[in-house]
């Protein structure tokens, strides 16, 4: 009853399982980094093959260089820096790759902005809500332009009728003069 069907649900489940398995292997006493990397590697492969974009929150916890899961205190170091802007650096302890994130107040990364996400329209109303306003603006503009065109047409019609009347009166006058 009204269940939303998720496309490629089995693949999503598999990706979720691989991510959780990678985290558990890293968290376990053995601290098997190789197995963790293998899980993340297969996760990325499956996602790429099925054209599934990983969520930014998941992507940020994966090292770009060595495919290690970045867990603070286990496989990564987080440090706060203040150079030009307030930043936080995440260093992969396996390969030393450093990720930089701006931490300034009020800063929103592009990927977190609602405009950069696909909008789902349900029953004529967008789920995000931000597109609705834009559409309203557009419709307002369209109605304005429509009204403008209508008034223009009306004035043109008026001029045409006036011209016709002028021609008629001239014709009548000439006919009267002729007789
Ligand atoms: Zn790394």
């Amino acid at each position: 009853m009204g269940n939303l069907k998720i496309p490629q649900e089995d693949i999503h489940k598999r990706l979720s399982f691989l991510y959780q398995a990678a985290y558990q292997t890293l968290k376990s006493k053995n601290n098997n980094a190789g197995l963790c990397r293998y899980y993340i590697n297969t996760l990325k492969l499956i996602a790429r093959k099925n054209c599934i974009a990983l969520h930014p929150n998941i992507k940020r916890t994966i090292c770009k260089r060595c495919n290690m899961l970045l867990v603070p205190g286990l496989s990564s170091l987080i440090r706060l820096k203040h150079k030009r802007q307030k930043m936080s650096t995440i260093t992969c302890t396996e390969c030393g790759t450093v990720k930089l994130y701006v931490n300034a107040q009020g800063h929103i990364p592009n990927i977190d902005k609602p405009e950069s996400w696909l909008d789902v329209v349900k029953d004529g109303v967008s789920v995000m809500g931000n597109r609705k306003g834009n559409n309203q603006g557009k419709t307002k503009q369209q109605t304005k332009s429509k009204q403008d065109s209508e008034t223009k047409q009306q004035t043109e019609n008026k001029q045409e009728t006036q011209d016709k009347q002028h021609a008629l009166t001239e014709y009548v006058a000439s006919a009267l003069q002729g007789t």
Side-chain angles (χ1 to χ4, degrees), residues 139-154:
T139 45
K140 265 186 186 174
Q141 277 185 345
Q142 280 173 351
T143 46
K144 254 195 174 182
S145 58
K146 261 191 180 178
Q147 279 175 346
D148 284 351
S149 61
E150 275 174 7
T151 46
K152 264 186 185 177
Q153 273 190 343
Q154 279 175 352

Side-chain angles (χ1 to χ4, degrees), residues 37 63-68 70 92-97:
R37 262 200 220 110
C63 176
K64 258 188 180 178
R65 197 168 159 199
C66 67
N67 287 345
M68 188 71 181
L70 300 172
C92 173
T93 50
E94 295 288 318
C95 68
T97 306

